[in-house]
Amino acid sequence: MNGIKKVLAIHDISGIGRCSLTVIIPVLSAMGIQVCPIPTAVLSAHTGYGDFVMRDLTDFMPPALDHYKKLGTKFDCVYSGFLASDAQIDHCLDFFASYPDALKVVDPVMGDDGKAYATYTKELCSRMSELVAVADIITPNLTEAAILLGEEYPTAPLRNSDAKSWLVRLAEKGANIVVITSCPLVDGGMSTIGYDKRTSSFWKIKNDYVPMSYSGSGDMFASVLTGGILKGDSLPIAMNRATSFTELAVKNTYSYGTPWTDGLMFEDQLTWLTGYQELSGFTDL
Ligand code: PXL
């Protein structure tokens, strides 16, 4: 027994274009948390590059789980993200069921800006609800929230009452905590909104506007949020920590004018995660 928490992270690894494991591992390590990756696929570059090559690792998942069971390894959290096939939904369900005491985080990665990612089939998107049903925490962006609810992707900002209804309806699908990122609100610009079903509490953090959207931003947000919760943050403090760090990386990246596909330039900023931060940017939704 040592004091370092372990996260079993079920995501892809993409060689170019920071996202998924190339973001999640450094972020959680900087927060003092060990990442044990189960790669769902290896890609030359993330799907935003168009002509990437990909190796689907569906067949690797069940024997890897068997090995961990044999080893008797315990995990504090199981955290899933980008999946390469709908059979991986079944394998993720097996991972979640094998560690009933672990915090179950599902980032229902499916798309962005109203569109599904190139490799995401209709079947994979519809089966994502099965993971959402067993999760403790889910972190969809607005596109993914719309897919899960069977709603049209909103073209106008949401009223607070509609945003609350989206959060509540998503929580009815299973998770106690729902956090929606990149949600435009009538009363607050682009915001991150959260809901804890156990306490009926709603939270909002207004994001500073930057006219660029970088790959891997959702992975960065969800990994800092997960790390914060594992370290004992309340929901609004974890949302605040995750939003502030992501915003810092977005602004740093924007200042260099690099393409959105390169992802967030966060390497020089990881020490932010290790210091004391004043986090008071949250309000009730
Ligand atoms: O950040 C989400 C993500 C993760 N993994 C891969 C992706 C994307 C988004 O484009 O392509 C491979």
Side-chain angles (χ1 to χ4, degrees):
M1 167 78 180
N2 63 35
I4 302 288
K5 297 220 161 148
K6 274 200 190 74
V7 174
L8 187 56
I10 310 174
H11 300 255
D12 71 283
I13 184 151
S14 293
I16 292 181
R18 302 170 185 87
C19 68
S20 35
L21 286 173
T22 60
V23 171
I24 292 161
I25 295 173
V27 162
L28 283 171
S29 297
M31 295 178 84
I33 292 167
Q34 181 186 353
V35 178
C36 305
I38 291 288
T40 54
V42 182
L43 291 88
S44 55
H46 66 63
T47 59
Y49 280 86
D51 53 355
F52 57 91
V53 291
M54 171 166 151
R55 295 290 177 271
D56 175 338
L57 294 178
T58 303
D59 292 347
F60 163 78
M61 295 172 72
L65 175 58
D66 288 345
H67 186 208
Y68 294 164
K69 283 185 181 163
K70 239 183 261 164
L71 289 172
T73 310
K74 298 220 171 8
F75 296 99
D76 300 286
C77 173
V78 179
Y79 164 27
S80 70
F82 180 96
L83 303 181
S85 69
D86 43 277
Q88 290 190 351
I89 299 275
D90 296 311
H91 301 333
C92 286
L93 290 170
D94 288 341
F95 273 96
F96 285 123
S98 300
Y99 300 100
D101 298 335
L103 180 72
K104 298 173 195 63
V105 180
V106 172
D107 188 357
V109 173
M110 290 187 280
D112 208 356
D113 291 327
K115 292 184 292 284
Y117 295 131
T119 57
Y120 268 70
T121 60
K122 279 220 160 65
E123 173 75 357
L124 180 49
C125 290
S126 77
R127 291 204 60 198
M128 194 57 82
S129 299
E130 296 174 44
L131 292 187
V132 163
V134 301
D136 298 310
I137 301 178
I138 61 169
T139 57
N141 60 28
L142 192 63
T143 303
E144 292 152 353
I147 294 173
L148 288 169
L149 290 175
E151 291 272 2
E152 286 293 312
Y153 180 67
T155 50
L158 295 184
R159 288 174 307 188
N160 283 20
S161 55
D162 293 329
K164 284 183 174 176
S165 154
W166 280 47
L167 289 166
V168 168
R169 283 186 289 139
L170 284 168
E172 281 166 359
K173 292 178 175 290
N176 282 328
I177 292 179
V178 178
V179 178
I180 304 179
T181 55
S182 314
C183 183
L185 290 178
V186 169
D187 93 330
M190 194 59 91
S191 297
T192 300
I193 56 174
Y195 171 58
D196 188 331
K197 182 163 79 179
R198 295 163 302 185
T199 51
S200 301
S201 47
F202 294 91
W203 304 99
K204 174 180 82 174
I205 296 175
K206 194 172 176 305
N207 308 151
D208 285 351
Y209 178 70
V210 176
M212 278 291 274
S213 170
Y214 296 99
S215 75
S217 304
D219 300 312
M220 175 168 289
F221 177 87
S223 51
V224 180
L225 183 89
T226 300
I229 298 277
L230 286 171
K231 290 274 189 177
D233 282 350
S234 65
L235 174 60
I237 294 284
M239 286 170 57
N240 202 157
R241 192 182 301 284
T243 305
S244 297
F245 185 65
T246 307
E247 226 162 58
L248 183 68
V250 166
K251 287 180 183 172
N252 181 50
T253 310
Y254 185 64
S255 78
Y256 286 93
T258 50
W260 72 271
T261 43
D262 279 2
L264 294 169
M265 297 173 68
F266 61 84
E267 292 82 356
D268 281 343
Q269 295 173 321
L270 285 169
T271 52
W272 185 95
L273 290 168
T274 64
Y276 170 77
Q277 301 303 334
E278 211 164 283
L279 297 167
S280 56
F282 54 88
T283 57
D284 289 330
L285 172 63

